[in-house]
Amino acid sequence: MATTRTPKKGKKPTRHASSTKSSGVISINPKTNAQSPAFPLVAFLWPAKKSTSQWVLLPLILMVVGLFRWAVGFWGYSGFQKPPMHGDFEAQRHWMEITTHLPASKWYFYDLQYWGLDYPPLTAYHSWVLGKIGSVIDPTWFALDISRGIETPLLKVYMRATVLVSEYLIYMPAVIVLNRRLGQLQGINAWEGSIALVAILMQPATILIDHAHFQYNTVMLGFVLASMSTIFAGGYLWGCVFFVAALSFKQMALYYAPAVFAYLIGVCLLPQPSSLRLFSMAFITIISFALVFAPLLLKSLYETTQRPSLLKELEIPSLFTSLPLTIDTKALYYGPALQLTQVIHRIFPFARGIFEDKVANFWCALNVLLKLQNHPTPILQRLSLCATIIAILPACMLISLFPQKHLLPWSLASTAWGFFLCSFQVHEKSVLLPLLPMTLLLGTDGGLDSEFRPWIGWANTLAVWTLFPLLKRDELRVPYTVLSLLWTYLLGLPPASFHLYTPKAKGLSTPIKFLHLAFYAAMGIWHLCEAFVDPPPSKPDLWVVLNVLIGASGFGICWLWCTWQLILRSGVMEEYFGIRLRLEAEGKVKLEKANETKETGTGKGKGKDGSVALRRSTRESRTPTPAPESKPHSSPTKGKKSR
C-alpha cells in the first residue's frame, strides 16, 4: 500500500515546478489552461523548469552575474583622475599601503587627514592580505607615501579582481545557502528559487556601488547573510560568530544589530527561558570580538614594548582623554588601551556632524527647512538617537515577542530602514543595508507574485535612483542606466513594463498603484530636468535637493510597509482582536447575568400574576418531562434529581 510522506514540522511541502499553484512566476490561460512565463526572467529560465539539474544551472547563473560585474568594472571609479584626495578607490588602496608597510600600532594613527583608516580591524586585516598579494605582483602599487594617487591600468584590474574574488568567496555562497533555506522553510521549489536567486544577485545598487564606484560592502553583507542562514538552521552560536564578523568588517552592520539581538533574546526566553543558551551566546559573542581585536592589540603591545618611543609618536585621541580614569602612561596596558580607544574613535566619528553629503534620509530632508548644521552636535546626537529608537522599536518588540524565522527578514528590513532614515552620519551607500533583506523576500512564498514584486522592485528602483548624483560624479551614467533598466525588464517592472499597474492587474490596491506610479513619474521627470534644465544660479543644488526629498519620502513609505507587514505576519493583530472579542463576549455574559439578577431583585414579592412568576412558569413549561424508568436497576442515578 502506498504511503503518504508528511513534511517535517515547521516546513511547508515543497511545490513542484510543474505545479499550477506557483508564487507568481507562471501565467495560466483560463481557456486553454496553457502555462506561460509571467515576466522575462522566468522566460530566460523556462528551459530549466523540468529537468535541468541545479548543479548545471547554478554555475551558469554565477558565470552570468559575474560577467555583468566584471563588465561594469571597465568604467570609471570613485575619484578617478580627481586629485588630490581622489576617492574610495584610493582610500582602499591606501589602506593596503599602510597595513603592509607600517607597524600595527600606527594603522589607526597614520596621516588621518589623507584617508585615515576608519573601519573595524577585520577590514584592516583584509587590506593587509590584499596588499601583501598585490606587492608580490608589483611593489610600486603600495609603496609607502610615493604611491598615492597611482592609477595604472594593471592596478585597476587587480583592485577590481579583489572585489570580485572577495564577493565570490563570502557573499555568493551566503546568498545561495540562505535563498535555499528560505525556499525549504516556505515550500518553494528549486526552479522558483533559482529565479529569485538571479533577481537577488542582479540587484543593480549592489553591483554599481561595489564594482563600479568601488567598495567591499558585499563582504560585510555576506557575513550578515551567513549569520541569518545559520540562525535559520538552528545554529545560534555560529550565527553570533558570523554577525560579529560583519560588525568587525564594517560598522554599518549595526543597522541589523537591534533586530538580531531582539530575535536571539526571544529564542532564549520563549517558549521556555533557557539561561544556558543565553549565556552561551553572550560568551561566544565576547570571545569572537576578543579574537578579532586580539591580533591588533597584541601586536601593538609587542611593538610598543620593543620600541617605547612609538607611544610618543601617537596622537592621543579625545576619547582617551575623556575617560574618567587615571591611566599610568608607563603601565603595560597603556599601549593596547590607547589603541582600542583610537579604533573606537575612528569607527564612530561623531564630530563629523549629522550628515556629510546629501543623502535621502530624514535629517537631510529636514535640513532644507531647518539648517541643522547650525545647531550644536550634542543636541543633534540626542535627537538622532531618540528618533532611531522610535523607528526601530516596533520591529524589535515584535521579533522578540514572536521569534519566528519567517519574520526575521521583515524585522531586519524595518530596523535597517529606521537606521537609514534617522541615525547619525548616514552615507548614500548605506541604502544597501535595508535593500538586502527586502530583496531576499523574493525567495519567500509569494515573493515573486503581483503583490510583493512591485513593492520590492519599487524600493530597489527608488534606491538606485537616489544613488545617481553619486554615480554621476564618477561618470557612471551608462552602467546606471543599463543595469537599472535591465533589472526592471527582467522582473517585469516599471519603467520597462507597467502590466502590474493596469486597472485589471491584481495584487496592488488602486491607491498603492497611484502612489508607485507617482514616484516613477517623479523620477522620470527629475531625470529629464537634471539632463536638460540648468538649475538657477542661486540654487545650484536644486536637483540634488529634490532627489533627497523624493527619496526620503519614498524610503519612509518603505519603512512603514515593512513594519506593517511584520505586524500582520506576526499574528499580533489577530491575537489582539481575538482577545478583544473574547473580552467583549465575557462582558456581555456578565452584563446579562447582572441584568437578570437586578430584574429578579426588583420583581421580588410579586404574586403569581407578576412578571417574575410568568417568566418562571414559562421556563417550567419549556422543561421536558423526564421519561419513566423502565427498570429500577437500569439507572445508575436512581434516587437523584433527574436532569
Side-chain angles (χ1 to χ4, degrees), residues 627-643:
E629 300 174 1
S630 56
K631 294 181 181 180
H633 63 274
S634 63
S635 175
T637 57
K638 184 179 180 181
K640 294 184 180 180
K641 187 177 180 180
S642 173
R643 298 180 69 183

PDB file of all heavy atoms in Angstrom, residues 627-643:
ATOM      1  N   ALA A 627     -38.587  10.930  31.258  1.00  0.00           N
ATOM      2  CA  ALA A 627     -39.261   9.674  30.902  1.00  0.00           C
ATOM      3  C   ALA A 627     -39.282   8.736  32.097  1.00  0.00           C
ATOM      4  O   ALA A 627     -38.357   8.734  32.915  1.00  0.00           O
ATOM      5  CB  ALA A 627     -38.527   9.012  29.732  1.00  0.00           C
ATOM      6  N   PRO A 628     -40.359   7.928  32.239  1.00  0.00           N
ATOM      7  CA  PRO A 628     -40.419   6.974  33.370  1.00  0.00           C
ATOM      8  C   PRO A 628     -39.376   5.889  33.248  1.00  0.00           C
ATOM      9  O   PRO A 628     -39.051   5.457  32.151  1.00  0.00           O
ATOM     10  CB  PRO A 628     -41.845   6.393  33.251  1.00  0.00           C
ATOM     11  CG  PRO A 628     -42.228   6.606  31.817  1.00  0.00           C
ATOM     12  CD  PRO A 628     -41.573   7.875  31.394  1.00  0.00           C
ATOM     13  N   GLU A 629     -38.804   5.517  34.376  1.00  0.00           N
ATOM     14  CA  GLU A 629     -37.769   4.498  34.386  1.00  0.00           C
ATOM     15  C   GLU A 629     -38.406   3.128  34.192  1.00  0.00           C
ATOM     16  O   GLU A 629     -39.355   2.767  34.867  1.00  0.00           O
ATOM     17  CB  GLU A 629     -37.011   4.534  35.706  1.00  0.00           C
ATOM     18  CG  GLU A 629     -36.336   5.878  35.932  1.00  0.00           C
ATOM     19  CD  GLU A 629     -35.703   5.937  37.316  1.00  0.00           C
ATOM     20  OE1 GLU A 629     -35.796   4.940  38.032  1.00  0.00           O
ATOM     21  OE2 GLU A 629     -35.112   6.973  37.651  1.00  0.00           O
ATOM     22  N   SER A 630     -37.866   2.385  33.267  1.00  0.00           N
ATOM     23  CA  SER A 630     -38.434   1.075  32.960  1.00  0.00           C
ATOM     24  C   SER A 630     -38.049   0.030  33.998  1.00  0.00           C
ATOM     25  O   SER A 630     -38.842  -0.808  34.365  1.00  0.00           O
ATOM     26  CB  SER A 630     -37.989   0.615  31.568  1.00  0.00           C
ATOM     27  OG  SER A 630     -36.585   0.613  31.514  1.00  0.00           O
ATOM     28  N   LYS A 631     -36.790   0.094  34.434  1.00  0.00           N
ATOM     29  CA  LYS A 631     -36.325  -0.885  35.405  1.00  0.00           C
ATOM     30  C   LYS A 631     -35.588  -0.166  36.505  1.00  0.00           C
ATOM     31  O   LYS A 631     -34.817   0.745  36.242  1.00  0.00           O
ATOM     32  CB  LYS A 631     -35.382  -1.903  34.760  1.00  0.00           C
ATOM     33  CG  LYS A 631     -36.080  -2.776  33.724  1.00  0.00           C
ATOM     34  CD  LYS A 631     -35.103  -3.782  33.138  1.00  0.00           C
ATOM     35  CE  LYS A 631     -35.806  -4.628  32.091  1.00  0.00           C
ATOM     36  NZ  LYS A 631     -34.884  -5.618  31.496  1.00  0.00           N
ATOM     37  N   PRO A 632     -35.781  -0.609  37.750  1.00  0.00           N
ATOM     38  CA  PRO A 632     -35.110   0.076  38.858  1.00  0.00           C
ATOM     39  C   PRO A 632     -33.608  -0.029  38.777  1.00  0.00           C
ATOM     40  O   PRO A 632     -32.910   0.886  39.153  1.00  0.00           O
ATOM     41  CB  PRO A 632     -35.652  -0.627  40.107  1.00  0.00           C
ATOM     42  CG  PRO A 632     -36.916  -1.281  39.677  1.00  0.00           C
ATOM     43  CD  PRO A 632     -36.756  -1.612  38.232  1.00  0.00           C
ATOM     44  N   HIS A 633     -33.072  -1.162  38.268  1.00  0.00           N
ATOM     45  CA  HIS A 633     -31.634  -1.348  38.277  1.00  0.00           C
ATOM     46  C   HIS A 633     -30.968  -0.750  37.046  1.00  0.00           C
ATOM     47  O   HIS A 633     -29.756  -0.807  36.930  1.00  0.00           O
ATOM     48  CB  HIS A 633     -31.300  -2.848  38.357  1.00  0.00           C
ATOM     49  CG  HIS A 633     -31.794  -3.606  37.159  1.00  0.00           C
ATOM     50  ND1 HIS A 633     -33.085  -4.100  37.089  1.00  0.00           N
ATOM     51  CD2 HIS A 633     -31.168  -3.943  35.994  1.00  0.00           C
ATOM     52  CE1 HIS A 633     -33.244  -4.729  35.928  1.00  0.00           C
ATOM     53  NE2 HIS A 633     -32.086  -4.640  35.247  1.00  0.00           N
ATOM     54  N   SER A 634     -31.746  -0.278  36.046  1.00  0.00           N
ATOM     55  CA  SER A 634     -31.137   0.202  34.803  1.00  0.00           C
ATOM     56  C   SER A 634     -30.574   1.594  34.922  1.00  0.00           C
ATOM     57  O   SER A 634     -29.842   2.032  34.066  1.00  0.00           O
ATOM     58  CB  SER A 634     -32.161   0.168  33.668  1.00  0.00           C
ATOM     59  OG  SER A 634     -33.224   1.053  33.978  1.00  0.00           O
ATOM     60  N   SER A 635     -30.914   2.351  35.948  1.00  0.00           N
ATOM     61  CA  SER A 635     -30.419   3.733  36.059  1.00  0.00           C
ATOM     62  C   SER A 635     -29.430   3.818  37.194  1.00  0.00           C
ATOM     63  O   SER A 635     -29.757   3.496  38.323  1.00  0.00           O
ATOM     64  CB  SER A 635     -31.596   4.684  36.289  1.00  0.00           C
ATOM     65  OG  SER A 635     -31.122   5.976  36.517  1.00  0.00           O
ATOM     66  N   PRO A 636     -28.194   4.264  36.923  1.00  0.00           N
ATOM     67  CA  PRO A 636     -27.206   4.391  37.995  1.00  0.00           C
ATOM     68  C   PRO A 636     -27.466   5.582  38.875  1.00  0.00           C
ATOM     69  O   PRO A 636     -26.838   5.732  39.894  1.00  0.00           O
ATOM     70  CB  PRO A 636     -25.888   4.539  37.231  1.00  0.00           C
ATOM     71  CG  PRO A 636     -26.277   5.153  35.931  1.00  0.00           C
ATOM     72  CD  PRO A 636     -27.626   4.619  35.620  1.00  0.00           C
ATOM     73  N   THR A 637     -28.409   6.490  38.468  1.00  0.00           N
ATOM     74  CA  THR A 637     -28.658   7.709  39.242  1.00  0.00           C
ATOM     75  C   THR A 637     -29.999   7.634  39.944  1.00  0.00           C
ATOM     76  O   THR A 637     -30.690   8.633  40.107  1.00  0.00           O
ATOM     77  CB  THR A 637     -28.618   8.924  38.318  1.00  0.00           C
ATOM     78  OG1 THR A 637     -29.579   8.731  37.267  1.00  0.00           O
ATOM     79  CG2 THR A 637     -27.230   9.110  37.720  1.00  0.00           C
ATOM     80  N   LYS A 638     -30.398   6.471  40.294  1.00  0.00           N
ATOM     81  CA  LYS A 638     -31.683   6.311  40.952  1.00  0.00           C
ATOM     82  C   LYS A 638     -31.682   7.013  42.292  1.00  0.00           C
ATOM     83  O   LYS A 638     -30.746   6.900  43.054  1.00  0.00           O
ATOM     84  CB  LYS A 638     -31.990   4.820  41.134  1.00  0.00           C
ATOM     85  CG  LYS A 638     -33.357   4.558  41.724  1.00  0.00           C
ATOM     86  CD  LYS A 638     -33.614   3.072  41.854  1.00  0.00           C
ATOM     87  CE  LYS A 638     -34.995   2.846  42.440  1.00  0.00           C
ATOM     88  NZ  LYS A 638     -35.290   1.423  42.610  1.00  0.00           N
ATOM     89  N   GLY A 639     -32.737   7.706  42.550  1.00  0.00           N
ATOM     90  CA  GLY A 639     -32.854   8.449  43.790  1.00  0.00           C
ATOM     91  C   GLY A 639     -32.355   9.856  43.682  1.00  0.00           C
ATOM     92  O   GLY A 639     -32.607  10.667  44.553  1.00  0.00           O
ATOM     93  N   LYS A 640     -31.606  10.194  42.561  1.00  0.00           N
ATOM     94  CA  LYS A 640     -31.120  11.565  42.374  1.00  0.00           C
ATOM     95  C   LYS A 640     -32.114  12.337  41.545  1.00  0.00           C
ATOM     96  O   LYS A 640     -32.908  11.784  40.788  1.00  0.00           O
ATOM     97  CB  LYS A 640     -29.761  11.554  41.688  1.00  0.00           C
ATOM     98  CG  LYS A 640     -28.678  10.938  42.538  1.00  0.00           C
ATOM     99  CD  LYS A 640     -27.336  11.053  41.845  1.00  0.00           C
ATOM    100  CE  LYS A 640     -26.236  10.426  42.688  1.00  0.00           C
ATOM    101  NZ  LYS A 640     -24.924  10.536  42.033  1.00  0.00           N
ATOM    102  N   LYS A 641     -31.992  13.661  41.595  1.00  0.00           N
ATOM    103  CA  LYS A 641     -32.865  14.539  40.832  1.00  0.00           C
ATOM    104  C   LYS A 641     -32.561  14.389  39.356  1.00  0.00           C
ATOM    105  O   LYS A 641     -31.422  14.458  38.953  1.00  0.00           O
ATOM    106  CB  LYS A 641     -32.650  15.989  41.267  1.00  0.00           C
ATOM    107  CG  LYS A 641     -33.658  16.939  40.637  1.00  0.00           C
ATOM    108  CD  LYS A 641     -33.450  18.342  41.165  1.00  0.00           C
ATOM    109  CE  LYS A 641     -34.461  19.284  40.525  1.00  0.00           C
ATOM    110  NZ  LYS A 641     -34.303  20.657  41.015  1.00  0.00           N
ATOM    111  N   SER A 642     -33.612  14.175  38.551  1.00  0.00           N
ATOM    112  CA  SER A 642     -33.411  13.961  37.119  1.00  0.00           C
ATOM    113  C   SER A 642     -33.030  15.257  36.433  1.00  0.00           C
ATOM    114  O   SER A 642     -33.545  16.319  36.780  1.00  0.00           O
ATOM    115  CB  SER A 642     -34.701  13.402  36.512  1.00  0.00           C
ATOM    116  OG  SER A 642     -34.604  13.339  35.127  1.00  0.00           O
ATOM    117  N   ARG A 643     -32.140  15.152  35.420  1.00  0.00           N
ATOM    118  CA  ARG A 643     -31.750  16.298  34.618  1.00  0.00           C
ATOM    119  C   ARG A 643     -32.766  16.522  33.511  1.00  0.00           C
ATOM    120  O   ARG A 643     -32.635  17.491  32.794  1.00  0.00           O
ATOM    121  CB  ARG A 643     -30.351  16.078  34.030  1.00  0.00           C
ATOM    122  CG  ARG A 643     -29.328  15.932  35.131  1.00  0.00           C
ATOM    123  CD  ARG A 643     -27.946  15.707  34.570  1.00  0.00           C
ATOM    124  NE  ARG A 643     -27.450  16.915  33.914  1.00  0.00           N
ATOM    125  CZ  ARG A 643     -26.284  16.983  33.286  1.00  0.00           C
ATOM    126  NH1 ARG A 643     -25.526  15.911  33.231  1.00  0.00           N
ATOM    127  NH2 ARG A 643     -25.887  18.091  32.717  1.00  0.00           N
TER     128      ARG A 643
END
